[in-house]
Amino acid sequence: MNELPKFSERLTELMFYDDNLPNYKFGQKLGISPNAISQWKTGKACPTFPMFVRLADHFGCSLDYLSGRTNDDDKYTPNNNLPPFPKRLMDVLKERGITWYKVVKDTHINDSNMRNWRRGSLPLVPMLVELADYIDVSIDYLVGRDL
């Protein structure tokens, strides 16, 4: 099941405009397996959080544009000093007046996910999108890319 259909389409489009490289050449360029790229483009898998950021950095776009949450394709300058995700998440929740309990109650994100993130685990991309949607912020803001 494709949890991020717009991501699959957007990645395919961005790769087309990036010299229309085949999966294996693009994979060589970024050190990614061609099979992983194929799975992302067909919606059979999603990249990890760090790879998601790396792809957006490569294409010079926002995470929101790459995920398909926005069509605003303004060029984006990568921020290589992202704050640790657990700290950033807690800061954004506090800033927005949203409790951990409320996130768990109102979304598909469960308590164990939130606990793992506080311990330093990184969210899966679909959960990151859901979290940004729920908090009503850009993914880039949520992870500290546009500070």
Side-chain angles (χ1 to χ4, degrees), residues 38 103 132:
S38 177
V103 172

Side-chain angles (χ1 to χ4, degrees), residues 32-116:
I32 306 166
S33 92
N35 186 44
I37 296 166
S38 177
Q39 289 187 349
W40 300 338
K41 287 170 68 176
T42 59
K44 294 179 182 167
C46 289
T48 62
F49 173 82
M51 184 55 67
F52 188 57
V53 172
R54 194 164 156 211
L55 287 167
D57 286 350
H58 171 78
F59 292 120
C61 66
S62 70
L63 295 171
D64 293 279
Y65 183 76
L66 181 59
S67 71
R69 285 183 81 221
T70 183
N71 290 323
D72 181 4
D73 66 347
D74 290 340
K75 288 300 175 199
Y76 190 88
T77 304
N79 174 356
N80 295 325
N81 297 316
L82 295 180
F85 181 73
K87 178 173 179 3
R88 182 66 186 155
L89 174 59
M90 292 301 126
D91 288 348
V92 171
L93 290 176
K94 184 177 180 182
E95 169 188 300
R96 295 291 176 136
I98 300 170
T99 64
W100 176 342
Y101 170 78
K102 190 138 176 62
V103 172
V104 170
K105 181 178 170 270
D106 294 345
T107 69
H108 294 103
I109 297 166
N110 62 43
D111 186 54
S112 65
N113 291 125
M114 295 290 284
R115 287 181 192 284
N116 288 336

Side-chain angles (χ1 to χ4, degrees), residues 62-64 69 96 132 136-144 146:
S62 70
L63 295 171
D64 293 279
R69 285 183 81 221
R96 295 291 176 136
D136 194 26
V137 295
S138 72
I139 300 170
D140 296 281
Y141 184 78
L142 179 60
V143 302
D146 66 357

